[in-house]
Amino acid sequence: MLMSKAAYAKHRGVSRQTVYDWIAKGDVVMSGSKIDVNASERKLKNSPAVHPWHDPDKKVNISPRAALYSKGEDLSDVKNQPFTVSVQEAANMVLTLDDIYPPAETEDELRDRVLDAAEALGLEVRTVDVDGDEEYIIGIELYDAKQDKTVHRFDSYLFELEALTFLRWLVVTKRLDDTELENVTKAGLAALSEPFVSNVKAVYADRFESDADEV
């Protein structure tokens, strides 16, 4: 079976640029200007396995380097090992992972991103709740234990996303006071890559439902 490059890209769930890269590397079998799908599939089966994760919405295959940040594998020792980087290096790492690190698909995953990011920058996440009732959390605040002060408070409807946006802004625009970050983690920096969530309504399903019930 022969396919055009565009049709093969759609068939494989990747961008056309990815197909062009495969052609340049000889990873697919060409027949004139068309791709021989059957021959290419046989060749692929005999090739070394690649990391299976990809974002079906963005059609971006994860790179071997970015696989270290993937939530889909048990790489906690690697992702959570503290290390030291300059403020510039931290910014570069976050930007490199944009559209590569898998976004949160549930509210629990989104909370993990906030916790990972705050911890990497030496901050604590404290809940803001109604009369001390943790079942009714209405926001969070980022607390700096070293300076014994609240850095920022977020009590809007989407407070997790606002917190991540704020932390990303601090890192990417290099507004941190330290010239070096001594205890960052790969998970923490990856948590600041965009997009933060795959679908806002899906991640915040409970909040949208409760909001609808009140109407």
Side-chain angles (χ1 to χ4, degrees):
M1 178 171 61
L2 301 179
M3 281 188 180
S4 67
K5 299 177 184 67
Y8 189 67
K10 185 175 182 180
H11 168 69
R12 291 296 306 277
V14 299
S15 67
R16 273 186 281 185
Q17 183 58 54
T18 298
V19 172
Y20 295 144
D21 292 341
W22 288 346
I23 293 172
K25 292 187 294 184
D27 290 342
V28 296
V29 178
M30 300 297 296
S31 178
S33 62
K34 302 284 187 179
I35 295 175
D36 187 324
V37 177
N38 295 332
S40 296
E41 295 299 324
R42 287 195 297 270
K43 184 171 185 178
L44 181 64
K45 287 181 180 179
N46 295 325
S47 300
V50 298
H51 196 281
W53 184 88
H54 71 278
D55 181 346
D57 294 324
K58 293 205 171 279
K59 310 298 184 189
V60 177
N61 287 317
I62 197 164
S63 68
R65 177 178 56 177
L68 292 176
Y69 299 81
S70 174
K71 295 194 297 288
E73 299 218 1
D74 184 13
L75 297 169
S76 55
D77 289 344
V78 176
K79 293 190 295 183
N80 297 306
Q81 181 67 43
F83 62 101
T84 300
V85 292
S86 69
V87 170
Q88 181 65 61
E89 288 171 331
N92 291 343
M93 290 179 73
V94 172
L95 293 172
T96 298
L97 288 171
D98 282 351
D99 293 323
I100 293 178
Y101 185 68
E105 296 182 355
T106 66
E107 196 169 342
D108 286 340
E109 290 181 4
L110 181 59
R111 290 194 195 104
D112 287 340
R113 283 183 77 120
V114 176
L115 293 171
D116 286 341
E119 183 179 16
L121 299 179
L123 301 174
E124 298 176 18
V125 176
R126 297 185 172 183
T127 59
V128 177
D129 49 72
V130 179
D131 295 330
D133 188 346
E134 292 187 357
E135 292 185 6
Y136 295 95
I137 298 172
I138 60 173
I140 56 177
E141 63 181 22
L142 300 173
Y143 175 74
D144 186 342
K146 288 184 178 179
Q147 300 184 60
D148 190 25
K149 71 175 184 179
T150 297
V151 176
H152 218 300
R153 172 172 167 161
F154 309 90
D155 53 5
S156 73
Y157 193 61
L158 308 177
F159 54 80
E160 295 97 341
L161 289 177
E162 289 193 350
L164 284 172
T165 300
F166 173 72
L167 292 173
R168 176 187 169 89
W169 174 75
L170 288 179
V171 174
V172 171
T173 60
K174 301 180 287 293
R175 294 178 184 270
L176 301 167
D177 294 333
D178 300 329
T179 55
E180 284 192 335
L181 303 175
E182 297 181 352
N183 290 296
V184 299
T185 60
K186 292 181 178 180
L189 292 179
L192 297 176
S193 61
E194 293 183 330
F196 298 132
V197 296
S198 56
N199 181 290
V200 175
K201 286 193 174 183
V203 171
Y204 285 107
D206 292 341
R207 295 185 198 177
F208 277 100
E209 288 172 5
S210 62
D211 188 48
D213 291 341
E214 293 173 3
V215 177

Coordinates of all heavy atoms in Angstrom, one line a residue, residues 120-177:
A120 N 10.6 22.2 44.1 CA 11.8 22.4 43.4 C 12.4 23.8 43.6 O 13.6 24.0 43.5 CB 11.6 22.2 41.9
L121 N 11.5 24.8 43.9 CA 11.9 26.2 44.1 C 12.0 26.5 45.6 O 12.1 27.7 46.0 CB 10.9 27.1 43.4 CG 10.8 26.9 41.9 CD1 9.9 27.9 41.3 CD2 12.2 27.1 41.2
G122 N 11.9 25.5 46.4 CA 12.0 25.7 47.9 C 10.9 26.3 48.5 O 11.0 27.0 49.5
L123 N 9.7 26.1 48.0 CA 8.5 26.7 48.5 C 7.5 25.6 49.0 O 7.6 24.4 48.6 CB 7.7 27.5 47.5 CG 8.5 28.7 46.9 CD1 7.7 29.3 45.7 CD2 8.9 29.7 47.9
E124 N 6.6 26.0 49.9 CA 5.6 25.1 50.4 C 4.3 25.5 49.9 O 4.0 26.6 49.6 CB 5.5 25.1 52.0 CG 6.8 24.7 52.7 CD 6.7 24.8 54.2 OE1 5.6 25.0 54.7 OE2 7.7 24.8 54.9
V125 N 3.4 24.5 49.7 CA 2.0 24.8 49.2 C 1.1 24.6 50.4 O 1.0 23.5 51.0 CB 1.6 23.8 48.1 CG1 0.2 24.0 47.7 CG2 2.5 24.0 46.9
R126 N 0.4 25.6 50.8 CA -0.5 25.6 51.9 C -1.9 25.8 51.4 O -2.2 26.7 50.5 CB -0.2 26.7 52.9 CG 1.2 26.4 53.6 CD 1.5 27.4 54.7 NE 2.7 27.1 55.4 CZ 3.1 27.7 56.5 NH1 2.5 28.8 56.9 NH2 4.2 27.3 57.1
T127 N -2.9 25.1 51.9 CA -4.3 25.2 51.4 C -5.0 26.4 52.0 O -4.7 26.7 53.2 CB -5.1 23.9 51.7 OG1 -5.1 23.7 53.1 CG2 -4.4 22.7 51.0
V128 N -5.9 27.0 51.3 CA -6.7 28.0 51.8 C -8.1 27.4 51.8 O -8.7 27.0 50.7 CB -6.7 29.2 50.9 CG1 -7.7 30.3 51.4 CG2 -5.3 29.8 50.8
D129 N -8.7 27.2 53.0 CA -10.0 26.5 53.0 C -11.0 27.3 53.8 O -10.7 28.3 54.4 CB -9.8 25.1 53.6 CG -9.1 25.2 54.9 OD1 -9.6 25.6 55.9 OD2 -7.9 24.7 54.9
V130 N -12.3 26.8 53.7 CA -13.4 27.5 54.4 C -13.4 27.1 55.9 O -13.7 25.9 56.2 CB -14.7 27.2 53.7 CG1 -15.9 27.9 54.4 CG2 -14.6 27.6 52.2
D131 N -13.2 28.0 56.8 CA -13.2 27.7 58.2 C -12.4 26.5 58.6 O -12.9 25.7 59.4 CB -14.7 27.6 58.6 CG -15.5 28.8 58.5 OD1 -14.9 29.9 58.6 OD2 -16.7 28.8 58.2
G132 N -11.3 26.3 58.0 CA -10.4 25.2 58.4 C -10.9 23.9 57.9 O -10.3 22.8 58.3
D133 N -11.9 23.8 57.1 CA -12.4 22.5 56.6 C -11.7 22.2 55.3 O -12.0 22.7 54.2 CB -13.9 22.6 56.4 CG -14.6 21.3 56.0 OD1 -13.8 20.4 55.7 OD2 -15.8 21.2 56.1
E134 N -10.8 21.2 55.3 CA -10.0 20.9 54.1 C -10.8 20.2 53.0 O -10.3 20.0 51.9 CB -8.8 19.9 54.5 CG -7.8 20.6 55.4 CD -6.6 19.8 55.7 OE1 -6.6 18.6 55.2 OE2 -5.7 20.3 56.3
E135 N -12.1 19.8 53.3 CA -12.9 19.3 52.3 C -13.4 20.4 51.3 O -13.9 20.1 50.3 CB -14.1 18.5 52.8 CG -13.7 17.2 53.6 CD -14.9 16.5 54.0 OE1 -16.0 16.9 53.7 OE2 -14.7 15.4 54.7
Y136 N -13.3 21.6 51.8 CA -13.7 22.8 51.0 C -12.6 23.7 50.7 O -12.6 24.9 51.2 CB -14.9 23.5 51.7 CG -16.1 22.6 51.8 CD1 -16.3 21.8 52.9 CD2 -17.0 22.5 50.7 CE1 -17.4 21.0 53.0 CE2 -18.1 21.6 50.8 CZ -18.3 20.9 52.0 OH -19.4 20.1 52.1
I137 N -11.6 23.3 50.0 CA -10.4 24.1 49.7 C -10.8 25.1 48.6 O -11.4 24.8 47.6 CB -9.3 23.3 49.2 CG1 -8.8 22.3 50.3 CG2 -8.1 24.1 48.8 CD1 -7.8 21.3 49.9
I138 N -10.6 26.4 48.9 CA -10.9 27.4 47.9 C -9.7 28.1 47.3 O -9.8 29.0 46.5 CB -11.8 28.5 48.6 CG1 -11.0 29.2 49.8 CG2 -13.1 27.9 49.1 CD1 -11.7 30.4 50.4
G139 N -8.5 27.6 47.7 CA -7.3 28.2 47.1 C -6.1 27.6 47.7 O -6.1 26.7 48.6
I140 N -4.9 28.1 47.3 CA -3.6 27.7 47.9 C -2.7 28.9 48.0 O -3.0 30.0 47.3 CB -2.9 26.6 47.0 CG1 -2.7 27.1 45.6 CG2 -3.6 25.3 47.1 CD1 -2.0 26.2 44.7
E141 N -1.7 28.8 48.8 CA -0.7 29.9 48.9 C 0.7 29.2 48.9 O 0.8 28.1 49.3 CB -0.9 30.7 50.1 CG -0.7 30.0 51.4 CD -0.9 30.9 52.6 OE1 -1.6 32.0 52.5 OE2 -0.4 30.6 53.7
L142 N 1.6 30.0 48.3 CA 3.0 29.5 48.2 C 3.7 30.2 49.4 O 3.7 31.4 49.5 CB 3.6 29.9 46.9 CG 2.9 29.3 45.7 CD1 3.5 29.8 44.4 CD2 3.0 27.7 45.7
Y143 N 4.4 29.4 50.2 CA 5.0 29.9 51.4 C 6.5 29.7 51.4 O 7.0 28.6 51.0 CB 4.4 29.2 52.6 CG 5.0 29.6 53.9 CD1 4.8 30.8 54.5 CD2 5.9 28.7 54.6 CE1 5.4 31.2 55.7 CE2 6.5 29.0 55.8 CZ 6.2 30.3 56.4 OH 6.8 30.6 57.6
D144 N 7.3 30.7 51.7 CA 8.7 30.6 51.7 C 9.1 30.5 53.2 O 9.1 31.5 54.0 CB 9.3 31.9 51.1 CG 10.8 31.8 51.0 OD1 11.4 31.0 51.7 OD2 11.4 32.6 50.2
A145 N 9.6 29.3 53.6 CA 9.9 29.1 55.0 C 11.2 29.8 55.4 O 11.3 30.3 56.5 CB 10.2 27.6 55.2
K146 N 12.1 30.0 54.4 CA 13.3 30.8 54.8 C 13.1 32.2 55.2 O 13.7 32.7 56.1 CB 14.3 30.8 53.6 CG 14.9 29.4 53.3 CD 15.9 29.5 52.1 CE 16.6 28.2 51.8 NZ 17.5 28.3 50.7
Q147 N 12.2 32.8 54.5 CA 11.8 34.2 54.8 C 10.6 34.3 55.7 O 10.2 35.4 56.1 CB 11.6 35.0 53.5 CG 12.8 35.0 52.6 CD 12.6 35.9 51.4 OE1 12.3 37.1 51.5 NE2 12.7 35.3 50.2
D148 N 10.0 33.2 56.0 CA 8.8 33.1 56.8 C 7.7 34.1 56.3 O 7.2 34.9 57.0 CB 9.2 33.5 58.3 CG 8.0 33.2 59.2 OD1 7.2 32.4 58.9 OD2 7.9 33.9 60.3
K149 N 7.4 33.9 55.0 CA 6.4 34.8 54.5 C 5.7 34.1 53.3 O 6.2 33.2 52.7 CB 6.9 36.1 54.0 CG 7.8 36.0 52.7 CD 8.3 37.4 52.3 CE 9.1 37.3 51.0 NZ 9.5 38.6 50.5
T150 N 4.5 34.5 53.0 CA 3.7 34.0 51.9 C 4.2 34.7 50.6 O 4.2 36.0 50.6 CB 2.2 34.2 52.1 OG1 1.8 33.4 53.2 CG2 1.4 33.8 50.9
V151 N 4.6 34.0 49.6 CA 5.1 34.6 48.4 C 3.9 35.1 47.5 O 3.9 36.2 47.0 CB 5.9 33.5 47.6 CG1 6.3 34.1 46.2 CG2 7.1 33.1 48.4
H152 N 2.9 34.2 47.5 CA 1.7 34.6 46.7 C 0.5 33.7 47.1 O 0.7 32.6 47.5 CB 1.9 34.4 45.2 CG 1.3 35.5 44.3 ND1 0.0 35.7 44.3 CD2 1.9 36.4 43.5 CE1 -0.3 36.7 43.5 NE2 0.8 37.1 42.9
R153 N -0.7 34.2 47.0 CA -1.9 33.5 47.3 C -2.8 33.5 46.1 O -2.9 34.4 45.3 CB -2.6 34.1 48.5 CG -4.0 33.5 48.7 CD -4.6 34.1 50.0 NE -6.0 33.7 50.1 CZ -6.7 33.7 51.2 NH1 -6.1 34.0 52.4 NH2 -8.0 33.4 51.3
F154 N -3.4 32.3 45.9 CA -4.3 32.1 44.7 C -5.6 31.5 45.2 O -5.6 30.4 45.7 CB -3.7 31.2 43.7 CG -2.3 31.5 43.3 CD1 -1.2 31.0 44.0 CD2 -2.0 32.4 42.3 CE1 0.1 31.4 43.7 CE2 -0.7 32.8 41.9 CZ 0.4 32.3 42.7
D155 N -6.7 32.3 45.1 CA -8.0 31.8 45.6 C -9.0 32.0 44.5 O -10.2 32.2 44.9 CB -8.3 32.4 46.9 CG -8.3 33.9 46.9 OD1 -8.1 34.5 45.8 OD2 -8.5 34.5 47.9
S156 N -8.7 31.9 43.3 CA -9.6 32.0 42.2 C -10.2 30.6 41.9 O -9.8 29.6 42.5 CB -9.0 32.6 40.9 OG -8.1 31.7 40.3
Y157 N -11.0 30.5 40.9 CA -11.6 29.2 40.5 C -10.6 28.2 40.0 O -10.7 27.0 40.3 CB -12.7 29.5 39.4 CG -13.6 28.4 39.1 CD1 -14.4 27.9 40.1 CD2 -13.6 27.8 37.8 CE1 -15.3 26.8 39.8 CE2 -14.5 26.7 37.5 CZ -15.3 26.3 38.5 OH -16.1 25.2 38.2
L158 N -9.6 28.7 39.3 CA -8.5 27.8 38.8 C -7.2 28.1 39.5 O -6.2 28.3 38.8 CB -8.4 28.1 37.3 CG -9.7 28.0 36.5 CD1 -9.5 28.3 35.0 CD2 -10.3 26.6 36.6
F159 N -7.2 28.0 40.8 CA -6.0 28.4 41.5 C -4.7 27.6 41.2 O -3.6 28.1 41.3 CB -6.3 28.4 43.0 CG -6.8 27.2 43.6 CD1 -6.0 26.1 44.0 CD2 -8.2 27.0 43.9 CE1 -6.5 25.0 44.5 CE2 -8.7 25.9 44.5 CZ -7.8 24.8 44.8
E160 N -4.9 26.3 40.9 CA -3.7 25.5 40.6 C -3.0 26.0 39.3 O -1.8 26.1 39.3 CB -4.1 24.0 40.4 CG -4.6 23.3 41.6 CD -6.1 23.3 41.7 OE1 -6.7 24.1 41.0 OE2 -6.6 22.5 42.5
L161 N -3.8 26.3 38.3 CA -3.3 26.8 37.1 C -2.6 28.2 37.2 O -1.6 28.5 36.6 CB -4.3 26.9 36.0 CG -4.8 25.6 35.4 CD1 -6.0 25.8 34.4 CD2 -3.7 24.8 34.8
E162 N -3.2 29.0 38.1 CA -2.6 30.3 38.3 C -1.3 30.2 39.1 O -0.4 30.9 38.8 CB -3.6 31.2 39.1 CG -4.8 31.6 38.3 CD -5.6 32.7 39.0 OE1 -5.3 33.0 40.2 OE2 -6.5 33.3 38.4
A163 N -1.2 29.2 40.0 CA 0.0 29.0 40.7 C 1.1 28.6 39.8 O 2.3 29.0 39.9 CB -0.2 28.0 41.8
L164 N 0.8 27.6 38.9 CA 1.8 27.1 38.0 C 2.3 28.2 37.0 O 3.4 28.3 36.7 CB 1.3 25.9 37.2 CG 1.2 24.6 37.9 CD1 0.5 23.6 37.1 CD2 2.6 24.1 38.3
T165 N 1.3 29.0 36.6 CA 1.6 30.2 35.7 C 2.6 31.1 36.4 O 3.6 31.6 35.8 CB 0.4 30.9 35.3 OG1 -0.5 30.0 34.6 CG2 0.7 32.1 34.3
F166 N 2.3 31.4 37.6 CA 3.2 32.3 38.4 C 4.6 31.7 38.6 O 5.6 32.4 38.3 CB 2.6 32.5 39.8 CG 3.4 33.3 40.7 CD1 3.7 34.7 40.5 CD2 4.1 32.7 41.8 CE1 4.5 35.4 41.4 CE2 4.9 33.4 42.7 CZ 5.1 34.8 42.5
L167 N 4.7 30.4 38.9 CA 6.0 29.8 39.1 C 6.8 29.7 37.8 O 8.0 29.9 37.8 CB 5.8 28.4 39.7 CG 5.3 28.4 41.2 CD1 5.0 26.9 41.6 CD2 6.3 29.0 42.1
R168 N 6.1 29.4 36.7 CA 6.7 29.4 35.4 C 7.3 30.8 35.1 O 8.4 30.9 34.6 CB 5.7 28.9 34.4 CG 6.3 29.0 32.9 CD 5.2 28.7 31.9 NE 5.7 29.0 30.6 CZ 6.4 28.1 29.8 NH1 6.6 26.9 30.2 NH2 6.8 28.4 28.6
W169 N 6.5 31.8 35.3 CA 6.9 33.2 35.1 C 8.2 33.5 35.9 O 9.1 34.1 35.3 CB 5.8 34.1 35.5 CG 6.2 35.6 35.4 CD1 6.3 36.3 34.2 CD2 6.4 36.4 36.5 NE1 6.6 37.6 34.6 CE2 6.7 37.7 35.9 CE3 6.4 36.3 37.9 CZ2 7.0 38.8 36.7 CZ3 6.7 37.4 38.6 CH2 7.0 38.6 38.1
L170 N 8.3 33.1 37.1 CA 9.5 33.3 37.9 C 10.7 32.7 37.3 O 11.8 33.3 37.2 CB 9.3 32.7 39.3 CG 8.3 33.5 40.3 CD1 8.3 32.8 41.6 CD2 8.8 34.9 40.5
V171 N 10.5 31.4 36.8 CA 11.7 30.7 36.3 C 12.1 31.1 34.9 O 13.2 31.4 34.6 CB 11.4 29.1 36.3 CG1 12.5 28.4 35.6 CG2 11.2 28.6 37.7
V172 N 11.1 31.2 34.0 CA 11.4 31.5 32.6 C 11.9 32.9 32.4 O 12.8 33.1 31.5 CB 10.1 31.2 31.7 CG1 10.3 31.7 30.3 CG2 9.8 29.7 31.7
T173 N 11.4 33.8 33.2 CA 11.9 35.2 33.0 C 13.0 35.5 34.0 O 13.5 36.6 34.1 CB 10.7 36.2 33.3 OG1 10.3 36.0 34.7 CG2 9.6 36.0 32.4
K174 N 13.5 34.5 34.6 CA 14.7 34.5 35.5 C 14.6 35.6 36.6 O 15.5 36.4 36.8 CB 16.0 34.8 34.6 CG 16.2 33.6 33.6 CD 17.4 33.9 32.7 CE 17.2 35.0 31.7 NZ 16.2 34.7 30.7
R175 N 13.5 35.6 37.2 CA 13.2 36.6 38.3 C 13.6 36.1 39.7 O 13.3 36.8 40.7 CB 11.8 37.1 38.2 CG 11.5 37.8 36.9 CD 10.0 38.3 36.8 NE 9.7 38.9 35.6 CZ 9.9 40.2 35.3 NH1 10.2 41.0 36.3 NH2 9.6 40.7 34.1
L176 N 14.2 34.9 39.7 CA 14.6 34.4 41.0 C 15.8 35.1 41.6 O 16.7 35.5 40.8 CB 14.9 32.9 40.9 CG 13.7 32.1 40.4 CD1 14.1 30.7 39.9 CD2 12.6 32.0 41.4
D177 N 15.8 35.3 42.9 CA 16.9 36.0 43.5 C 18.3 35.3 43.4 O 19.3 35.9 43.3 CB 16.6 36.4 44.9 CG 15.4 37.3 45.0 OD1 15.3 38.1 44.1 OD2 14.7 37.3 46.0

